[in-house]
Amino acid sequence: MTKGYKMPKGFLWGGAVAAHQLEGGWEADGKGVSIADVMTAGRNGVPRKVTDGVKDGEIYPNHWGNDFYHRYPEDDKLFAEMGFKCFRTSIAWTRIFPNGDEVEPNEAGLKFYDDMFDDLLSHGIQPVVTLSHFEIPYHLVKEYGGFSNRKMIDFFLHFAKTVFERYQDKVKYWMTFNEINNQTAWSDPHPLLQNSGLQLNDDDNWEQAMYQAAHYELVASALAVQAGHAINPDFQIGCMVAMCPIYPLTAKPQDIMMAERAMQKRYWYGDVHCLGEYPKWLPKYFDRKGFDMDITAADLATLKAGTVDYVGFSYYMSFVTKGRDGDSDYDFKEPEDFVENPYVEKSDWGWQIDPTGLRYAMNWMQDRWHLPQFIVENGFGAYDKREADGSVHDDYRISYFRDHILAMEQAVALDGVDLIGYTPWGCIDLVSASTGEMAKRYGFIYVDADDNGQGSFDRSKKDSFDWYQQVITSDGEDL
Ligand code: P53
């Protein structure tokens, strides 16, 4: 056993999921079609397809997820047994507004979350809720072009206000947009669709479109923060960034400058969310690129008035980059400008395993944004083998968590980072966002379902279940 540091009283140990990746019930009780419902199954190295609506003969794993929609009372009991103090999930926008542009919400959808939150609360588990987690109504993509359209700000705000009002006595911690910065690799169509509902043509300027959509999202987020605080001043409303620190390959000055620019390009979203303004380099960059941006003085005032209460972030891995000889533009592009890190191992999906990077990132954010932090995702996607007796010996997962939790605790206990809680990703097996697989498993709880939705969907405990229970019981001391 490794000795960790006790986390402060009230620390929110828990787990994290997103509605579209586990609920299933994609048509239940009036739910509309979201972008996750038109994404087919991929595999490790095989991208998911996006179809034009739901088509016969295609496999859509998010249609069934792990069937949480029907089984959550059983799952909540298991979370409680592990000792969860909180559970991070999202509200599927399409359960509340099936098309996204309705005036009146769908009462059956609202009731589902009322019941589910009540069940969690009856176990002493508080819900932590993301408003938009890769599940924009498909209608808003088709009819309005997703967040390429300023009108989306109003649709999002209407959704946000509706659920803030409804759940104001059940939910305290909120986040606006999941991994808002994970569309930085703008040459890949999936993040642009998942994050912003963009479907672009070959002759569109993809990079400009990404920045424009992100701007509208940031304005929508700032308005939601203000609306939420007006509804309940006790709300804590955070942003959510995908934190993958980017290191320079060597001490060569050009490598350092490239890594600096890479960090600026991945984390300017956090600057806007937390500090309420665009960093100085970015308007210069827009000018240099000739981008014609719709950013008004009123928008800038909104951003200033709607800064977040805390930084929610995911942490899975770090990246490395290097400068290009004779190039002083430092126009870092991902993933092209990533290089291998010779010092770290990788998962089967090529994700670099770097616990120290978590401590580094927490220090970096504390110094830059001066806000409490909340680790709302961290975890290890792996192929699990279920033995004949039903057990899963996932020592690789325990080892990943042990190293990362220790790094997190060092950031708190030794470096003074103000941390609200820790919710490991996919605490129960669910559908992978990038590949659509069930086989890329993250859970402490095994779900008997395969990539095609075959299986009993029965739940069972992996070895990591008992291990995480012991971590929580000891407040983080017994790792
Ligand atoms: P999957 C890329 C890099 C880091 C985090 O990812 C990412 C992604 C996009 O997939 O997404 C977050 O399932 C996301 C979750 C997602 C989780 O990480 O691809 O917020 O929805 O499931 C893990 O292995």
Side-chain angles (χ1 to χ4, degrees):
M1 195 189 298
T2 303
K3 186 148 164 55
Y5 298 81
K6 245 191 202 325
M7 287 296 95
K9 241 195 156 21
F11 186 78
L12 293 177
W13 296 99
V17 300
H20 67 106
Q21 289 174 260
L22 90 168
E23 285 178 359
W26 71 289
E27 288 182 304
D29 300 321
K31 181 183 171 299
V33 175
S34 83
I35 49 181
D37 293 319
V38 297
M39 294 188 72
T40 66
R43 273 197 323 280
N44 194 354
V46 182
R48 306 179 74 171
K49 274 189 309 191
V50 178
T51 56
D52 187 14
V54 174
K55 303 283 178 206
D56 286 345
E58 297 284 0
I59 294 177
Y60 300 103
N62 299 66
H63 288 192
W64 50 80
N66 70 19
D67 197 31
F68 182 79
Y69 193 78
H70 303 106
R71 294 171 195 245
Y72 70 81
E74 182 190 344
D75 296 340
D76 292 349
K77 269 196 205 128
L78 289 165
F79 300 150
E81 193 183 331
M82 264 188 284
F84 281 19
K85 311 288 182 250
C86 74
F87 177 64
R88 174 188 177 227
T89 188
S90 58
I91 294 177
W93 190 338
T94 48
R95 290 201 193 283
I96 314 302
F97 294 102
N99 282 327
D101 57 359
E102 296 91 342
V103 175
E104 294 303 321
N106 170 30
E107 177 56 32
L110 287 167
K111 181 162 185 316
F112 167 72
Y113 292 105
D114 261 323
D115 294 346
M116 198 258 281
F117 294 158
D118 284 344
D119 192 59
L120 286 168
L121 291 165
S122 75
H123 290 288
I125 301 174
Q126 60 166 304
V128 171
V129 174
T130 317
L131 294 171
S132 182
H133 191 134
F134 303 168
E135 49 209 344
I136 292 174
Y138 186 57
H139 175 78
L140 296 183
V141 174
K142 293 297 281 186
E143 292 301 315
Y144 299 88
F147 271 96
S148 66
N149 191 331
R150 191 179 264 278
K151 285 201 182 106
M152 286 292 283
I153 297 175
D154 293 333
F155 298 138
F156 175 80
L157 195 59
H158 185 46
F159 164 56
K161 282 184 182 166
T162 303
V163 296
F164 284 157
E165 291 274 0
R166 178 77 171 217
Y167 307 119
Q168 58 176 302
D169 299 323
K170 299 182 184 177
V171 179
K172 173 177 172 186
Y173 287 96
W174 301 86
M175 276 162 276
T176 52
F177 288 91
N178 185 64
E179 293 193 336
I180 189 163
N181 62 328
N182 240 354
Q183 45 193 331
T184 290
W186 48 265
S187 51
D188 180 347
H190 286 165
L192 288 176
L193 177 71
Q194 288 184 317
N195 287 54
S196 299
L198 298 188
Q199 283 193 306
L200 301 173
N201 299 314
D202 286 348
D203 54 355
D204 287 325
N205 183 336
W206 287 35
E207 191 184 9
Q208 176 176 315
M210 187 280 286
Y211 279 108
Q212 186 63 63
H215 173 72
Y216 291 148
E217 287 167 350
L218 288 161
V219 172
S221 172
L223 289 168
V225 169
Q226 294 174 69
H229 287 154
I231 290 166
N232 184 344
D234 291 336
F235 277 176
Q236 292 291 301
I237 308 174
C239 59
M240 199 309 202
V241 295
M243 173 41 76
C244 311
I246 306 170
Y247 306 143
L249 181 63
T250 72
K252 192 173 160 192
Q254 288 77 6
D255 289 358
I256 308 285
M257 184 58 213
M258 189 65 152
E260 168 66 12
R261 178 49 43 88
M263 289 296 277
Q264 289 174 321
K265 277 197 159 180
R266 256 197 95 81
Y267 300 106
W268 68 270
Y269 308 77
D271 296 340
V272 177
H273 271 307
C274 301
L275 308 174
E277 55 191 35
Y278 272 81
K280 297 268 191 284
W281 68 273
L282 194 47
K284 291 274 182 205
Y285 181 75
F286 293 158
D287 283 351
R288 195 148 59 76
K289 291 273 161 179
F291 292 169
D292 178 21
M293 301 289 294
D294 172 29
I295 300 177
T296 66
D299 291 347
L300 297 179
T302 298
L303 296 175
K304 196 73 199 167
T307 53
V308 293
D309 299 314
Y310 68 94
V311 181
F313 69 98
S314 64
Y315 180 85
Y316 294 90
M317 58 192 148
S318 58
F319 295 125
V320 174
T321 192
K322 67 179 175 63
R324 303 187 204 102
D325 284 336
D327 173 12
S328 57
D329 280 349
Y330 297 102
D331 280 351
F332 168 84
K333 279 194 193 62
E334 60 180 78
E336 294 92 310
D337 286 311
F338 286 144
V339 293
E340 299 262 314
N341 186 336
Y343 300 102
V344 304
E345 303 282 314
K346 287 192 277 190
S347 79
D348 287 333
W349 279 262
W351 292 21
Q352 300 186 147
I353 304 167
D354 175 16
T356 306
L358 173 57
R359 182 172 174 188
Y360 167 75
M362 291 171 76
N363 276 271
W364 186 88
M365 288 188 281
Q366 176 100 329
D367 291 348
R368 191 175 179 107
W369 295 331
H370 314 286
L371 284 175
Q373 298 175 18
F374 199 154
I375 303 178
V376 296
E377 288 185 30
N378 171 233
F380 192 61
Y383 294 109
D384 287 338
K385 181 163 174 283
R386 199 161 69 128
E387 309 293 340
D389 66 356
S391 57
V392 175
H393 304 304
D394 55 345
D395 46 306
Y396 37 88
R397 183 168 294 109
I398 293 173
S399 139
Y400 178 98
F401 277 125
R402 178 180 289 127
D403 295 347
H404 284 77
I405 292 176
L406 183 60
M408 161 187 101
E409 293 180 351
Q410 288 164 337
V412 174
L414 305 181
D415 307 332
V417 172
D418 183 2
L419 186 66
I420 298 165
Y422 177 73
T423 57
W425 176 251
C427 50
I428 178 165
D429 290 344
L430 40 57
V431 173
S432 156
S434 55
T435 69
E437 297 164 287
M438 268 308 277
K440 188 181 188 186
R441 293 173 184 275
Y442 284 89
F444 304 116
I445 300 167
Y446 188 90
V447 176
D448 175 34
D450 69 13
D451 290 346
N452 299 321
Q454 302 299 308
S456 67
F457 287 75
D458 285 349
R459 278 58 172 149
S460 55
K461 300 174 189 172
K462 304 182 194 175
D463 287 357
S464 55
F465 184 102
D466 296 327
W467 179 82
Y468 190 46
Q469 181 186 53
Q470 153 207 310
V471 173
I472 298 179
T473 312
S474 67
D475 282 327
E477 217 173 21
D478 297 343
L479 298 178

